[in-house]
Amino acid sequence: MQEASNLFNRMPERTLISWTILLSGYAKHGPFNETLMLFVDMLCYGLVCPDAFVYAVVLRACAEVKDLSFGCGIHAHVLKRGPGVFDGFVDNALVNMYASCGSLDDAVVVFQGIGSPDLVGWSSMLSGYVKNGFEEEGLRVFLEMICCGVELDAFVFSMAIKGCANLEYLEFGKQIHCHMIKLGFGCCLFLGNSLMDIYAKCGYSEGMKQVFSGMCEKDLISWNTLIMGYVHNSLYVEALRVFRVLIEEVSECDDFTITSSLKAITSLGNLDLGREIHGYIIKVGLESNQYVAGSLLNMYIECANHETLNQRARVPLKLYNYYGGRKFDGYFIASMLKWCSLQSDLETGEVLHSLILKLNLNSDAYVMSSLIDMYSKCGISEAALRVFLRVKEPEIATWSALISGFCLNGWYAEALELFQKMQFDFVEANEFTFTSVLLACLALEDLQKGREMHCKILRSGFGSNVSVVNTLISLYSELWHHKQALKLCSLVSDVEISWKLLLKACMKAKDFEMVHELLGRIQLCYGFIDPYSACDILNSCANPVLLNVGTQVQAYMTKRGLISHSTTGNCLIDMYAECGKIADAELVFNSMPEKNSCSWTSIISAKVNHGRPFEALYLFKDMQRKHNLKMDPSTFKSALNACALMGMTDEAYHLFMSMDKVYGIEPSEEHYSCMVEALGRAGMFEDVQEFINRMPPVKLGALIWKSLLLSCRVHGDIKLAKYALEKLVELDPSDSSVYLMLKQVYLMLGMWDDASKMRVKIEILRTNSSWIEIQNKVYEFVSDQNPTDEVSDKLAEINDKMKETGYIVNRSDLLLMMIEEEEYGGAGLHHTEMKAVAFGLISLPHGMPIRVIKSVRMCGYCHYACKLMSTFVDTEIVIKDPCNFHHFRDGKCSCRDAW
């Protein structure tokens, strides 16, 4: 073009043809601004008048440089010349100029003024819409072209495919593909590459592969599109397989091929394979390419083990030194700063800071935000703030980096203040900013600020952003608003929901029904749950009336491969133990491939709670012999309880003393109360008093005196019971349960007058419940509710059979019964647990165990009645009250009548 311009300048006379040739040359080869300047010179020359072709050439140059103002001037010049200048070239050029400059309304006006637009005019409108982000309008233009019978070309199809790709309209793209084949464009290389791109962006990798396989010819763009398509759809292994085939069969690649392959390796975290690619990069001479160098650096940073500092992990520093004598770009510097952040390498980070100043990169928002992030992750928020204050007109990335850094270092209040200042500076927040600020609200436990932020998020259009929504779910979950957290789930798809957060929130609120509903949704969408979430689900089933749900959950967890995890196995033991299925809990324990300390503690505790103290102590001693298992306070608590149930006071004392001396575990108040219970159950009250007198005062709480009072109730020691009561009243005068226990002592000893005098001191809960599960439905029986005729008949039948055995209710049992809950209809068989048992006998198959949970302690009469019933109902009766599990079979109870 320079030679052409020199010849043009030496011409003694310039004709319209001369000007047109030079203008066309600049419009075709550039620089395009020269076309505009030459046109101005042409007008000033004055000897020639532009024709339609010249106007079209200049308008094409305006479209290339997107100079709308100059283009409008040309349009005005043409209008001034009159209708004679207008022809198809000018009309199409005007449409293309306005569309390319983003002035679509003006493009539409010009297009509508064309009587019969040709393919170029239609193409300009279609291209303008798609390139300016109005893909739906562009596709309407494409359909209108078909309806109007316009003959389509490859460019039109390519723009329509691009529109579908941007919108991810897979079905529309397939129809365009069919229409292309119908019109004979099936073998076009350019369109084949475009089709692969749309199928990749729409997640249809199989269609992308079919297009590639069916192409008559393939160029490097075809191979690159296939590799990047696989990477886009997270099929990294397939992408690398194609890369290997390309290298072996075609022996050709470029920087785009390498960067796509490195991205796949980075996602796989395969450092060894990345080093092989590094060797290939050096072999083909692409190591100096800045895009390849940046991708290679990022691969080493992402794949390195940042918990070690071995030679391999230092490869990024070697790359930095290798490029030391060459020009650094912002991306490379930012990547190195990321490396320093992950390694907390402040020294190298400060060197890079100096380099940034030297290269004058302090106006690069990406570099400065990376520098702020580096100082923040190295724990120097003050330095991060100083860097931020020196940035002129900081962008959102810079604000976000500082706010995130403040949160990382615990400057939560300062992060909120900074966000407020950002609003005053009219900087629009992004998802990263909102996420950081919400985490600050969570850390400060400021629900009010969190709600205000939620409103701001909705106004800013981020109300459905997955990252922001999940952080909001976390905020509401942690701050005891799990129902609000659940409402947010409708804003994102099931596969994007953080199920762990929701399950944790529901467990925190003890909303077990919602936990089970969430599990149903997880099953439907194949959502991800980790072993800890599985534990939450199993813990929600730890109730005798939810045993069927628990077994279904176990089946699902087994199918997902989560049961083999030791944490999940421990929770399964606890679930079966809490459901009264001690045999199943033992089976889970025995089948666990790996048992940790928690596994042993869980099964030992289960054995104790279900009245098997001898087996619990055997397991405890077996656990002691395994040196790789660590004892914890819970293990000793269960062992001490087992000793108490068996009356083994010496063994209990030996274990208690070994906690501190042998295992280094300081006994807690619970352990002291276990010793009080062990001595009290054995009737060794003098030893109990001596033990309490030697206790540290800080451990002498209500739990100790309640244990003593319960022992007095068993042995009828009224004097010591009154002493324990006085101590409990000193600690908590409002606790009516202690008066209730003392009254039970009076009744057991036949001291009716003393018991009646305490009526004014006791606030008895008259309404209580028992529950039983029948065919996945839970039935509740309330104390102030009359049973159905069917249940009443069954109770009468049981009562008659009990009378046949010669059972007579004694006075103390009846009075104890009246304390526990109000009776209806006379005998204690009308207590809630007896109604539930009767309903179970009616509803469950013969021989199936009856499992009932009761809200208050069983009375003495009901306890004896269940023992008697178990001799003739031919099934096991399991009742769980707040004190104990009761397994009734063959006239005996697992609690040994001490509860």
Side-chain angles (χ1 to χ4, degrees), residues 234-246:
S234 303
L235 298 172
Y236 307 118
V237 175
E238 282 296 309
L240 294 175
R241 185 190 62 79
V242 173
F243 173 72
R244 187 173 295 276
V245 172
L246 173 65

Side-chain angles (χ1 to χ4, degrees), residues 795-809 829 861 864 868-869 871-872:
L795 288 170
E797 178 187 334
I798 294 170
N799 197 37
D800 291 341
K801 287 186 179 180
M802 290 175 63
K803 286 180 180 179
E804 291 176 7
T805 64
Y807 175 72
I808 300 174
V809 181
L829 286 181
Y861 174 75
Y864 186 81
L868 196 60
M869 285 170 55
T871 62
F872 59 79

Side-chain angles (χ1 to χ4, degrees), residues 571-614:
C571 290
L572 191 59
I573 294 172
D574 292 335
M575 185 204 78
Y576 277 122
E578 288 296 318
C579 290
K581 296 273 285 183
I582 183 63
D584 288 351
E586 189 173 10
L587 180 63
V588 172
F589 175 78
N590 291 332
S591 61
M592 288 178 69
E594 293 184 11
K595 304 178 182 71
N596 56 24
S597 299
C598 293
S599 313
W600 286 85
T601 300
S602 295
I603 192 63
I604 291 170
S605 175
K607 292 282 188 179
V608 173
N609 292 337
H610 288 270
R612 298 184 181 184
F614 177 79

Side-chain angles (χ1 to χ4, degrees), residues 114 164 364 619 697:
I114 301 174
C164 289
D364 189 318
L619 286 168

Side-chain angles (χ1 to χ4, degrees), residues 470-490:
N470 278 328
T471 310
L472 278 169
I473 290 172
S474 178
L475 173 75
Y476 285 117
S477 301
E478 292 292 331
L479 300 183
W480 293 89
H481 282 73
H482 76 287
K483 291 187 177 178
Q484 179 62 37
L486 289 167
K487 289 180 182 178
L488 294 171
C489 292
S490 60

Side-chain angles (χ1 to χ4, degrees), residues 639-786:
L640 288 170
N641 282 331
C643 292
L645 289 174
M646 296 180 66
M648 300 170 61
T649 54
D650 291 340
E651 180 70 16
Y653 188 75
H654 174 73
L655 283 176
F656 181 81
M657 295 303 295
S658 69
M659 286 180 63
D660 189 17
K661 293 182 178 180
V662 179
Y663 297 97
I665 299 173
E666 182 183 356
S668 67
E669 183 183 346
E670 287 185 322
H671 297 106
Y672 280 100
S673 70
C674 289
M675 277 304 302
V676 170
E677 183 179 354
L679 295 170
R681 280 181 179 269
M684 302 168 63
F685 289 113
E686 291 183 4
D687 295 310
V688 169
Q689 290 179 337
E690 185 180 349
F691 181 79
I692 291 176
N693 291 335
R694 295 201 311 266
M695 281 180 58
V698 293
K699 303 290 176 69
L700 202 57
L703 196 58
I704 303 297
W705 301 111
K706 283 187 177 182
S707 297
L708 180 59
L709 188 56
L710 284 169
S711 298
C712 294
R713 174 181 172 273
V714 173
H715 290 279
D717 191 326
I718 190 65
K719 182 179 178 181
L720 195 56
K722 286 184 176 180
Y723 175 71
L725 175 65
E726 290 173 2
K727 294 295 183 180
L728 283 167
V729 171
E730 288 178 10
L731 293 171
D732 187 5
S734 63
D735 189 356
S736 61
S737 64
V738 298
Y739 296 100
L740 178 60
M741 286 188 283
L742 183 61
K743 185 168 184 177
Q744 291 169 349
V745 175
Y746 283 138
L747 290 171
M748 289 184 68
L749 296 175
M751 301 168 68
W752 320 117
D753 294 336
D754 292 313
S756 62
K757 289 177 183 178
M758 297 189 63
R759 183 177 298 275
V760 294
K761 294 185 179 179
I762 303 175
E763 296 177 5
I764 301 174
L765 182 63
R766 288 296 184 183
T767 303
N768 50 73
S769 303
S770 293
W771 299 269
I772 186 172
E773 181 265 332
I774 308 290
Q775 294 182 349
N776 292 328
K777 183 177 180 181
V778 178
Y779 295 86
E780 182 181 14
F781 294 87
V782 186
S783 59
D784 58 356
Q785 178 186 45
N786 289 322

